[in-house]
Amino acid sequence: MEPEQEPDQPKAATAGNRKHLAMLERLSKRSSTSSAAAAPSSDPAGASPVEAFLSRFATAKLAAESALSACRASPGDDAPASLAAAAAAIDDLDRLVAEASHALPPYELRSALAAAADLRAAHRVAASELRPKKSFSFRNKSKAPKNPPQDPATVPVPEQPKPALNAILPGLGFRGSEGATLVKDLRVSNDKDGDFTLADLVSCEVYLKGKCRALYVHKLRNCRVFVGAVLGSVLIEDVEGCTFVMAAHQIRIHEARATDFYLRVRSRPIIEDCGGVRFAPHALKYEGIEEDLKDSGLDEETGNWANVDDFKWLRAVQSPNWCLVPEEDRMQIVDISQVRDQETGT
């Protein structure tokens, strides 16, 4: 017998919602019946791939939420370790979604991506709140003798302090540069396999060799960005007139305009509020890139660079917001082997 519909559930619920609710109910029943037995397996026997994913996702999401709660309860000295543990748990969630994205229906994929994005945003807020604050002290207000009036032309004008750029974005990174060539070899970094941020760059050439755990890109104009391998997800926001060449498990793009993406990606790239963006296959080479891609699980070409999901275009016809770069216009493979990190010489 079909379960009774809850009074507050809309009668005109979509078929996708009804299927999702029914699936969650079956998972709940299976979980309750197995709780009396010995330790249940992470993937219920006989479950469909989507059901198995939902079960694993719920477990990973709970782990990430618990890690975030531990961050807020951690004393000052323990905060960095707690933040790192929470970031790792959220990265595990991102990887789980990326690996299963090709088999997930759009509704489940969108829900999972939204949950992971919310946790990532909560982690950034927690990282900002837990940073040590400058101590406050009273200044000596003793009266000093009045100076004679000075000629305004001879009075030095104090420099205005520059505002901190993107204070809540985590990890190493390049911020606030114009017309610069920025090179980092992550293979010899002290924070190897950590997060990396690119923010507020104008007319820059960016070269990242090696692997990073996650990449955050915010407010770039007329830049060219070459990235070796990203173990988890890439989040790109507010870019214009740029070219990106990278490999990652998951790529989410928001507010991009007139920008080209040369990608190798495990899951379908996702765009939102974008216009005039184009996609083409991966086109990057440097000494050791094959090993970096293999270690990151990105050595196989999936062809997903051409399978773009536009979350603001839900019609059956092709979205007008993106297209493929015509073959005759595609960039040739770029070899950055000779580009050196000035700090390390690699």
Side-chain angles (χ1 to χ4, degrees):
M1 177 181 297
E2 295 186 358
E4 294 185 2
Q5 188 176 19
E6 294 183 7
D8 59 345
Q9 184 178 352
K11 292 182 179 180
T14 65
N17 285 339
R18 290 199 299 271
K19 184 187 297 183
H20 184 69
L21 292 171
M23 189 176 298
L24 290 177
E25 183 179 359
R26 290 197 300 273
L27 279 174
S28 176
K29 289 181 179 179
R30 182 178 289 112
S31 176
S32 62
T33 56
S34 61
S35 60
S41 62
S42 58
D43 293 345
S48 72
V50 176
E51 290 173 325
F53 165 79
L54 289 174
S55 178
R56 293 196 304 272
F57 183 82
T59 301
K61 181 171 179 287
L62 181 60
E65 290 170 342
S66 299
L68 276 175
S69 298
C71 285
R72 298 185 179 94
S74 297
D77 293 342
D78 295 335
S82 298
L83 285 169
I90 297 170
D91 288 335
D92 289 341
L93 198 66
D94 274 336
R95 277 191 287 273
L96 180 61
V97 177
E99 290 169 359
S101 61
H102 66 282
L104 292 177
Y107 179 84
E108 278 74 15
L109 177 59
R110 184 177 298 190
S111 299
L113 288 172
D118 289 344
L119 286 170
R120 183 72 68 183
H123 179 269
R124 292 200 294 267
V125 171
S128 177
E129 292 174 347
L130 291 173
R131 281 197 180 91
K133 297 178 175 58
K134 292 183 178 179
S135 58
F136 177 81
S137 62
F138 291 98
R139 294 184 177 180
N140 186 0
K141 295 186 178 180
S142 59
K143 292 185 179 179
K146 292 184 179 180
N147 293 324
Q150 290 180 289
D151 182 356
T154 64
V155 177
V157 179
E159 279 192 19
Q160 296 296 322
K162 294 182 179 180
L165 295 172
N166 298 287
I168 65 171
L169 292 176
L172 298 172
F174 296 128
R175 299 171 172 86
S177 295
E178 183 172 354
T181 299
L182 307 170
V183 185
K184 186 70 176 177
D185 192 333
L186 301 169
R187 297 169 294 186
V188 295
S189 169
N190 291 330
D191 191 24
K192 187 162 50 177
D193 295 347
D195 295 344
F196 204 90
T197 295
L198 304 175
D200 289 88
L201 304 179
V202 179
S203 301
C204 291
E205 298 265 345
V206 181
Y207 302 92
L208 302 180
K209 299 179 184 179
K211 302 171 291 182
C212 62
R213 183 173 56 197
L215 178 65
Y216 305 92
V217 179
H218 177 71
K219 201 173 182 181
L220 270 59
R221 299 291 183 267
N222 302 315
C223 293
R224 298 203 328 153
V225 179
F226 303 90
V227 181
V230 181
L231 296 162
S233 61
V234 176
L235 175 60
I236 299 174
E237 298 177 302
D238 190 10
V239 298
E240 184 172 357
C242 297
T243 298
F244 291 89
V245 186
M246 59 179 59
H249 280 259
Q250 181 185 98
I251 297 176
R252 302 194 297 270
I253 304 164
H254 301 268
E255 298 180 3
R257 298 166 297 280
T259 294
D260 290 346
F261 297 90
Y262 290 78
L263 306 179
R264 175 175 295 181
V265 57
R266 285 286 302 273
S267 59
R268 298 164 68 99
I270 294 169
I271 65 172
E272 192 167 8
D273 296 317
C274 295
V277 294
R278 306 190 303 174
F279 293 84
H282 191 247
L284 182 63
K285 178 183 178 182
Y286 60 81
E287 187 177 349
I289 190 173
E290 293 84 2
E291 182 179 351
D292 290 337
L293 293 173
K294 184 176 181 180
D295 290 346
S296 305
L298 295 166
D299 51 328
E300 181 182 352
E301 175 56 73
T302 63
N304 276 329
W305 60 269
N307 299 322
V308 180
D309 285 332
D310 185 349
F311 276 10
K312 285 301 179 72
W313 184 263
L314 303 180
R315 302 179 187 176
V317 296
Q318 165 70 32
S319 165
N321 300 318
W322 70 274
C323 66
L324 303 183
V325 180
E327 290 191 20
E328 60 274 16
D329 295 339
R330 289 178 188 173
M331 184 171 58
Q332 299 298 313
I333 292 178
V334 179
D335 190 344
I336 63 172
S337 298
Q338 302 305 315
V339 179
R340 301 296 181 188
D341 185 337
Q342 293 184 355
E343 292 183 1
T344 63
T346 57

